[in-house]
């Protein structure tokens, strides 16, 4: 019975953040970049669910806009809107960084966006059509080098503006935890190391999965080896999808979603089968019902 309860609790680990009660956004915050430090950029953004090219300008007054965090899509803050919206955030930097490039790590924003620095377009991910509709969806991990030539000299304020388009009401946020501003060398190093670590982790999972697949085909009676191999491969695929590494091989939103979301759905089912085989648990009607439900 304890084993059964464990199986029932496992899917709880994969519930999306949207199942939680949305957090109340804090006040708008202006960040200050200093040498040797990474600044969290997830929170305190000004937000408005309309579209205008004037919103990119550093001089635009956004004081009456709402304040949201980018760690969740705007619908989780009660904004029922499908279209193009804007986020704006101000920052300054220490005199020690004068004349130097800054870096911005921006992991993933759904479903397409344009990034502006002081009114200048510095990056585009996906494609937003002339009518504001998403023409190409992409959730790629990005690193931006903020050129010193575009930065206002200290202590003046600089403004980052994000023009984001949702897709069918889904999107407009979810940057994740790795959204940082700081000295360019630190940001690039973190971006590169994160990519390498997750790529190596995915590779390790795939190698482990292949190894246990070979064991299974060598001894067809060892079903646990098959299920463990599939678990490892599933985790490897999820790791690639979680950091959007799939985009390095194929520029396809659906493929990346399959790698990330389909593997989350499959994992509890595969784990259930592995537990049955490894612990030699007899499949009574109760466990068979759970098995069918997980498979469905």
């Amino acid at each position: 019975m304890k084993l059964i309860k464990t199986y029932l609790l496992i899917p709880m680990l994969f519930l999306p953040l949207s199942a939680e009660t949305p957090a109340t956004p804090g006040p708008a915050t202006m960040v200050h970049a200093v040498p040797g430090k990474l600044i969290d950029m997830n929170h305190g953004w000004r937000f408005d669910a309309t579209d205008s090219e004037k919103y990119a300008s550093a001089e635009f007054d956004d004081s009456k806009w709402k304040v949201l965090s980018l760690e969740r899509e705007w619908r989780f803050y009660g904004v029922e809107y499908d279209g193009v919206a804007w986020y704006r955030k101000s920052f300054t930097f220490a005199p020690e960084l004068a004349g130097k490039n800054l870096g911005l790590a921006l992991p993933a924003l759904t479903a397409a966006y344009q990034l502006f620095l002081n009114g200048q377009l510095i990056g585009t991910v996906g494609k937003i059509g002339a009518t504001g509709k998403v023409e190409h969806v992409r959730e790629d991990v990005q690193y931006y080098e903020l050129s010193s030539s575009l930065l206002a000299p200290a202590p003046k304020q600089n403004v980052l503006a994000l023009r984001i388009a949702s897709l069918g009401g889904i999107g407009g946020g979810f940057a994740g935890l790795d959204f940082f501003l700081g000295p360019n060398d630190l940001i690039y190093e973190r971006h590169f190391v994160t990519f390498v670590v997750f790529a190596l982790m995915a590779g390790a999972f795939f190698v482990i999965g292949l190894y246990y697949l070979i064991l299974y085909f060598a001894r067809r009676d060892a079903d646990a080896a098959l299920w463990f191999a599939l678990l490892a491969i599933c985790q490897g695929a999820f790791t690639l999808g979680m950091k959007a590494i799939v985009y390095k091989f194929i520029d396809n939103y659906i493929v990346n979603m399959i790698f990330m979301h389909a593997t989350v759905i499959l994992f509890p089912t595969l784990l259930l089968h592995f537990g049955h085989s490894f612990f030699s648990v007899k499949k009574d009607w109760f466990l068979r019902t759970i098995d069918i439900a997980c498979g469905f």
Side-chain angles (χ1 to χ4, degrees):
M1 184 57 71
K2 289 183 178 181
L3 183 60
I4 294 174
K5 291 180 179 179
T6 301
Y7 288 149
L8 291 174
L9 288 173
I10 287 170
M12 297 293 289
L13 298 175
F14 301 96
L15 287 175
L17 289 174
S18 57
E20 303 174 2
T21 302
T24 302
T29 54
M30 183 176 66
V31 298
H32 183 67
V34 296
K37 186 176 180 180
L38 302 179
I39 308 298
D40 182 9
M41 296 290 286
N42 271 294
H43 311 288
W45 288 76
R46 295 285 186 181
F47 169 83
D48 191 71
T50 58
D51 186 24
S52 174
E53 61 181 16
K54 65 182 180 181
Y55 296 163
S57 172
E59 289 75 30
F60 178 77
D61 182 11
D62 57 16
S63 60
K64 296 182 179 180
W65 284 14
K66 295 181 179 179
V67 180
L68 298 182
S69 294
L70 266 166
E71 62 182 351
R72 294 184 181 181
E73 299 172 16
W74 59 58
R75 61 194 173 109
F76 294 135
Y77 295 108
V79 180
E80 297 299 330
Y81 173 73
D82 181 25
V84 177
W86 286 74
Y87 288 91
R88 289 168 52 91
K89 189 175 183 66
S90 300
F91 71 92
T92 57
F93 56 87
E96 294 86 347
L97 295 174
K100 299 180 180 179
N101 295 345
L102 299 181
L104 180 69
L106 210 163
L109 285 174
T110 309
Y113 70 86
Q114 295 173 317
L115 176 65
F116 298 83
L117 171 62
N118 294 331
Q120 296 294 318
L121 178 66
I122 62 173
T124 299
V125 173
K127 183 178 181 181
I128 304 174
T131 61
K133 299 294 183 181
V134 177
E135 296 183 356
H136 179 63
V137 179
R138 188 180 175 102
E139 292 185 344
D140 198 5
V141 173
Q142 295 292 326
Y143 151 77
Y144 296 99
E145 185 171 353
L146 309 184
S147 172
S148 60
S149 62
L150 296 179
L151 293 170
K156 293 183 178 180
Q157 294 184 18
N158 295 271
V159 176
L160 285 170
L162 278 162
R163 180 177 183 251
I164 305 179
S166 62
L167 183 66
I170 298 175
F174 200 66
L177 300 178
D178 298 326
F179 191 4
F180 292 102
L181 173 74
N184 185 57
D185 55 344
L186 290 182
I187 295 294
Y188 178 76
E189 179 182 358
R190 182 183 180 90
H191 173 78
F192 180 76
V193 169
T194 299
F195 176 82
V196 170
V197 168
F198 275 82
L200 290 175
M201 286 174 58
F205 283 126
F206 286 132
V207 169
I208 293 171
L210 179 62
Y211 173 76
Y212 278 93
L213 273 180
I214 295 173
L215 288 183
Y216 169 72
F217 286 115
R219 290 185 56 190
R220 292 300 184 93
D221 59 331
D223 288 348
L226 172 63
W227 298 117
F228 188 80
L230 294 177
L231 275 171
I233 293 172
C234 183
Q235 185 61 37
F238 173 74
T239 303
L240 288 179
M242 183 172 59
K243 289 298 180 182
I245 300 177
V246 177
Y247 281 112
K248 303 301 179 184
F249 306 100
I250 179 170
D251 183 8
N252 190 289
Y253 168 75
I254 299 299
V255 172
N256 189 69
M257 289 299 96
I258 290 174
F259 268 70
M260 187 164 65
H261 294 297
T263 50
V264 171
I265 297 171
L266 285 172
F267 196 89
T269 307
L270 297 175
L271 189 60
L272 184 64
H273 280 283
F274 171 73
H276 289 165
S277 179
F278 186 81
F279 296 105
S280 300
V281 178
K282 184 180 179 180
K283 289 187 178 181
D284 56 15
W285 67 269
F286 182 70
L287 285 178
R288 288 183 184 276
T289 301
I290 297 176
D291 200 5
I292 293 172
C294 287
F296 178 76

